[in-house]
């Protein structure tokens, strides 16, 4: 390939927003020569690699803006430690059909059982699939909405919780809310209803939500929107955080 043509291909690739092609023109030609590739195969390779590079960039930038506390996956989760948790149920969620349907997922478990881990793993999978993600704890969301409301910026702040395809609301029920705070939560849940998915985690059962939201009527209104289309994974189980400590304690008692 002449120097002139390769320079032009590079410049055109940049203008077309194909930076990987611009960088890799000569490698592509070399690979095509070595593998005696046909024209169609070469075009197929160039387009597939450009797409892969673009999707990887989008995935990494999606993770950065998601505010996820870590990026653990389902592969990092040891299902054998939680025999009550049916791996099929979680793997079904990981197919993300609930996200495509703009439905919700609720993970109700005691502390340390892996609610945040599983919620993050589902969010990472959704991010990889091209969905936008935003992670918050319930308390942080309420705090930010209250501050925005006081500053007359509620609508714009609500947007942060309404725009993403998947909103992860972690730790529902750690702190009881006042009525005005519960009202802000209702606004998020009702505005996302059938428009975008919520993955929520809670250490409380739904019947205890009246106490969290300080008002049975409001709690019922929130649950009504949330649960209309919702996959629920509710189990008891032992804390993974205490796993090693409990094993150590057992060892100590065995010795004693
Ligand atoms: P929760 O949100 O339910 O309190 P986390 O998801 O924060 O629990 O889990 C506590 C810690 O234990 C995290 O580091 C998490 O990755 C890990 N963990 C919990 N359950 C498991 C498991 N079954 N396999 C591997 N790691 C786990
Ligand atoms: Mg947690």
């Amino acid at each position: 390939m002449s120097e002139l043509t390769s320079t032009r291909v590079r410049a055109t690739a940049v203008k077309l927003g194909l930076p990987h092609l611009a960088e890799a023109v000569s490698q592509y030609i070399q690979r095509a020569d070595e593998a005696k590739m046909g024209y169609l195969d070469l075009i197929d390779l160039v387009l597939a690699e450009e797409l892969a590079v673009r999707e990887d960039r989008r995935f990494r930038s999606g993770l950065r803006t998601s505010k996820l506390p870590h990026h653990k996956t389902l592969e990092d989760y040891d299902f054998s430690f939680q025999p009550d948790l049916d791996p099929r149920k979680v793997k079904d969620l990981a197919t993300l059909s609930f996200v495509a349907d703009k439905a919700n997922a609720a993970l109700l478990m005691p502390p340390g059982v892996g609610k945040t881990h599983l919620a993050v793993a589902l969010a990472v999978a959704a991010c990889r699939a091209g969905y936008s993600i935003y992670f918050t704890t319930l308390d942080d969301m309420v705090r930010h909405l209250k501050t925005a409301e006081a500053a007359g910026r509620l609508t714009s702040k609500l947007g942060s919780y309404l725009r993403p395809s998947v909103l992860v609301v972690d730790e529902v029920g750690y702190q009881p809310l006042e009525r005005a705070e519960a009202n802000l939560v209702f606004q998020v849940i009702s505005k996302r209803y059938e428009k975008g998915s919520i993955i929520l985690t809670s250490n409380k059962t739904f019947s205890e939500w009246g106490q969290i939201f300080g008002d049975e009527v409001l709690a019922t209104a929130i649950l009504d929107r949330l649960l209309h289309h919702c996959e629920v994974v509710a189990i008891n189980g032992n804390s993974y955080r205490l796993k090693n400590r409990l094993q150590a304690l057992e060892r100590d008692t065995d010795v004693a």
Side-chain angles (χ1 to χ4, degrees), residues 72 76-78 81 110-117 174 240-241:
K72 289 188 185 177
D76 305 317
Y77 191 83
D78 179 6
F81 187 75
V113 171
K115 295 182 293 297
T116 304
H117 184 139
Y174 277 63
Y240 196 85
R241 289 195 191 96

Side-chain angles (χ1 to χ4, degrees), residues 70 72 75-82 85 109-119 170-171 174 201-203 238-243:
H70 53 70
K72 289 188 185 177
E75 281 74 48
D76 305 317
Y77 191 83
D78 179 6
F79 282 94
S80 68
F81 187 75
Q82 293 301 343
L85 180 58
M109 307 168 186
V113 171
K115 295 182 293 297
T116 304
H117 184 139
L118 293 170
D170 200 19
E171 299 183 356
Y174 277 63
T201 81
S202 181
N203 59 347
N238 297 322
S239 170
Y240 196 85
R241 289 195 191 96
L242 298 178
K243 178 175 91 129

